Amino acid sequence: MYTDADRSREVVPEKDGHDKKWRDEFGRDYGRIIHSASFRRQQGKTQVFPSRESDFFRNRLTHSLEVAQIAQGIAERINYDYDKDLGGKIDPRLCATAGLVHDIGHPPFGHNGESALDKAMQRYGGFEGNAQTLRILTRLEKKLRYAEPLAGDDRAGLNLCHRTIAATLKYDNEIPAIRKAADGFVKGYYGSEKIIVDRVKASALNGYVLGPEEKFCTIECSIMDLADDIAYSVYDLEDCFKVGFLSPAEMLASDDALLSAVAKRASKPMKRTVTINEIQAVFMEIFSEIIEQPAEDADSPLDGIVIEDDIAQQAKRDESLLTFAEAYRTSKVMSEDGYKRTEFSSELVHQFISGVELKAHKECPSLSQVYLPEKLMLRKEVLKQYTFVAAIYAPRVKLGEYRGYDLVTDIFKALMGDRGDLLMPADVRGRIRKAPNVSVKAREVCDFVAGMTDRYAMEFWARLNSDAAESMFKHGVIAERVALKPEAVTY
């Protein structure tokens, strides 16, 4: 399943004594990720709800840990049920590693931060979270350097194995160096990493030539991508239940406008038209065991009461209201009972992992793919898209992110100014001053901003726009508001 080329690295250092017989190369990569600064920074980046609202909510780090565990579980399940289809076993830890880093390139403030940086970088190669993940792993993390610059850059990032890098490469597409606003958002990788991508692909393909319609995506990447979708559809919904943002009753009672928006979004990945009735059917099936239904022979709240003909209709309405109240009460259990929420999430994840199927690639096993059958895929997409439309795009949630768009834009503009380099740490400042052109400078600034946590970005922005006294040592800059008061700097 894995070749020496898969385990090869961009930089082959002199013997460091760390390569032990009891630890394989992919295990070393797992350790490098766990101990990296970029991995830790994910704890300060929002998943759905800002972490400052509650310690319970997931952030990018805890989400990535969950994705890693689900990815490992899928790999173990495929190894058990399809052990003869791949010509070898999938490395579960390699899949977990891909899960740990899949969001490592996300900037502060989620998709609005991503949009702000992409707009700022349209003339300089764009910005995209997956492309930034690759750049962090292969360039920005401070592990090793090339002996000679590669594509003008001597940084080798974490120097991971080629197959580990391949496991993170979701979109085999070079983002154009220059785009117009009308071109829209493009997913892929930056031109600065193209030579690395080409080498990684060559190692994973092992001589196989992709067909005209084939896309490069390894089995580990496919597993990671599905694990991400599962975690997203289940655990983001669990957070919404916990905060009382959503409840089963509210979901079952969703209006047609909301359901239509969900159906439209779900239709694209399903590659067919999804109807409102299908969405409602998914909810009924999922929540049927949670919202307790009265048994046919159960006593009515009105049993024993003599109902006169002239009040019969009122009595029926009263009974309906009591039944509704009971359903609402049991629905609220999802917000108030941690045992119920855990049971709900655990059961869904179990169903998804148990239902995963394999599409083996006989000629090139590394390109095999995993998928969910129709029924489970619809369930996943309905939950994922509903949470996205009803919660993530809700005004209360988006308000902070929309503010983040302007905040990220302001920071980028300030750092791109004539004296913006003075606002950054020494190592970044040195690279910017050596930048041969504005495109390289913009990429360095973009890297710095994208690496900020939500809180750091807010504090950095406050220092640029507020007269409130703050410690200059907290941010590691030379002086407060240097861009506006350069005369205050002592060289």
Side-chain angles (χ1 to χ4, degrees):
M1 189 64 183
Y2 302 102
T3 66
D4 289 341
D6 288 322
R7 297 180 178 88
S8 64
R9 304 177 187 273
E10 283 291 291
V11 177
V12 182
E14 295 181 5
K15 291 293 183 179
D16 57 9
H18 294 175
D19 51 335
K20 303 296 183 182
K21 292 181 179 179
W22 47 263
R23 183 171 66 160
D24 65 16
E25 293 299 319
F26 298 144
R28 297 186 70 184
D29 287 352
Y30 181 90
R32 291 181 184 188
I33 294 298
I34 289 291
H35 297 290
S36 67
S38 296
F39 178 71
R40 293 194 300 276
R41 283 194 197 102
Q42 291 182 101
Q43 68 184 302
K45 298 188 179 185
T46 296
Q47 177 65 12
V48 176
F49 299 105
S51 57
R52 64 181 179 275
E53 299 288 345
S54 171
D55 291 338
F56 173 86
F57 297 138
R58 290 165 171 85
N59 52 46
R60 290 285 178 185
L61 179 61
T62 58
H63 165 71
S64 296
L65 291 170
E66 288 169 337
V67 172
Q69 190 281 322
I70 294 172
Q72 182 170 332
I74 293 173
E76 290 168 346
R77 158 83 216 300
I78 294 298
N79 284 340
Y80 184 82
D81 286 343
Y82 296 91
D83 60 327
K84 297 180 181 179
D85 294 83
L86 292 172
K89 290 187 179 297
I90 302 167
D91 190 313
R93 177 169 280 189
L94 178 53
C95 297
T97 300
L100 292 177
V101 300
H102 81 283
D103 270 353
I104 210 168
H106 273 266
F109 308 110
H111 292 294
N112 275 295
E114 186 175 42
S115 297
L117 283 177
D118 185 52
K119 183 177 181 180
M121 291 291 292
Q122 278 187 333
R123 293 182 297 160
Y124 312 118
F127 178 86
E128 195 265 329
N130 296 285
Q132 194 68 14
T133 291
L134 179 67
R135 183 166 171 80
I136 288 171
L137 299 178
T138 61
R139 295 292 197 185
L140 303 184
E141 272 294 333
K142 300 175 176 65
K143 177 68 175 177
L144 286 175
R145 295 182 180 274
Y146 291 98
E148 298 291 336
L150 181 69
D153 194 338
D154 69 343
R155 295 172 295 177
L158 290 174
N159 194 37
L160 303 175
C161 295
H162 279 183
R163 190 61 172 264
T164 304
I165 297 172
T168 70
L169 193 61
K170 288 176 61 175
Y171 303 101
D172 181 19
N173 174 57
E174 182 180 353
I175 299 174
I178 300 176
R179 295 179 4 254
K180 298 178 182 178
D183 292 340
F185 191 66
V186 179
K187 295 185 177 182
Y189 54 85
Y190 307 133
S192 54
E193 281 70 66
K194 184 180 186 307
I195 187 171
I196 299 174
V197 171
D198 289 343
R199 292 177 177 180
V200 166
K201 288 168 62 178
S203 294
L205 293 173
N206 195 29
Y208 177 77
V209 179
L210 290 171
E213 301 299 321
E214 278 190 293
K215 297 291 185 181
F216 178 81
C217 179
T218 65
I219 179 66
E220 296 84 11
C221 185
S222 176
I223 288 173
M224 173 271 288
D225 197 25
L226 180 55
D228 185 27
D229 268 5
I230 292 172
Y232 192 118
S233 63
V234 175
Y235 293 123
D236 287 359
L237 181 60
E238 182 185 319
D239 278 0
C240 290
F241 285 158
K242 166 64 178 179
V243 75
F245 208 93
L246 293 174
S247 71
E250 289 174 302
M251 295 175 71
L252 287 165
S254 298
D255 59 44
D256 285 353
L258 173 56
L259 294 178
S260 294
V262 174
K264 182 178 180 180
R265 290 185 61 89
S267 295
K268 184 176 180 180
M270 293 301 297
K271 298 180 180 179
R272 65 172 180 80
T273 300
V274 175
T275 67
I276 289 177
N277 288 340
E278 286 182 290
I279 295 173
Q280 291 172 324
V282 168
F283 290 160
M284 290 296 292
E285 185 177 4
I286 290 174
F287 298 130
S288 61
E289 296 179 1
I290 297 173
I291 299 181
E292 300 170 5
Q293 303 295 327
E296 293 184 5
D297 58 350
D299 293 336
S300 167
L302 301 179
D303 283 352
I305 299 177
V306 178
I307 301 176
E308 302 294 340
D309 290 342
D310 59 345
I311 63 170
Q313 293 301 318
Q314 181 62 44
K316 289 181 180 179
R317 284 195 294 270
D318 289 346
E319 184 169 6
S320 295
L321 284 173
L322 289 169
T323 302
F324 171 80
E326 179 64 18
Y328 181 73
R329 185 190 67 78
T330 55
S331 173
K332 285 186 66 179
V333 165
M334 293 302 290
S335 295
E336 300 168 352
D337 190 334
Y339 288 97
K340 274 289 186 183
R341 284 196 310 274
T342 300
E343 180 184 1
F344 172 77
S345 300
S346 178
E347 178 59 27
L348 281 177
V349 171
H350 174 76
Q351 289 175 9
F352 286 135
I353 293 179
S354 299
V356 173
E357 297 182 3
L358 174 73
K359 182 180 180 181
H361 196 299
K362 300 300 183 182
E363 296 179 76
C364 186
S366 64
L367 296 182
S368 299
Q369 302 289 290
V370 293
Y371 66 95
L372 288 173
E374 169 85 6
K375 182 178 179 179
L376 283 176
M377 184 175 179
L378 178 62
R379 177 176 290 192
K380 171 180 70 69
E381 287 301 324
V382 166
L383 293 177
K384 174 182 175 181
Q385 304 304 339
Y386 187 93
T387 305
F388 187 86
V389 175
I392 296 176
Y393 259 52
R396 283 184 289 171
V397 176
K398 295 306 291 183
L399 181 61
E401 280 201 12
Y402 274 116
R403 184 186 176 207
Y405 181 97
D406 294 334
L407 190 148
V408 169
T409 300
D410 287 351
I411 294 176
F412 185 88
K413 287 180 178 178
L415 298 180
M416 283 294 288
D418 291 339
R419 304 182 71 82
D421 61 300
L422 296 177
L423 296 168
M424 289 183 277
D427 57 338
V428 181
R429 189 185 320 130
R431 293 191 61 81
I432 286 179
R433 288 176 174 175
K434 293 178 183 179
N437 54 59
V438 68
S439 293
V440 175
K441 176 183 177 180
R443 181 58 65 193
E444 295 290 344
V445 170
C446 182
D447 290 338
F448 179 62
V449 178
M452 293 180 175
T453 62
D454 295 2
R455 184 176 66 179
Y456 183 91
M458 288 189 288
E459 292 175 348
F460 195 97
W461 183 88
R463 287 179 60 81
L464 294 174
N465 295 277
S466 172
D467 291 326
E470 294 184 34
S471 170
M472 63 183 289
F473 300 104
K474 192 168 187 178
H475 301 281
V477 296
I478 291 183
E480 190 171 21
R481 304 182 73 183
V482 169
L484 300 180
K485 299 179 181 179
E487 66 277 6
V489 180
T490 301
Y491 292 94

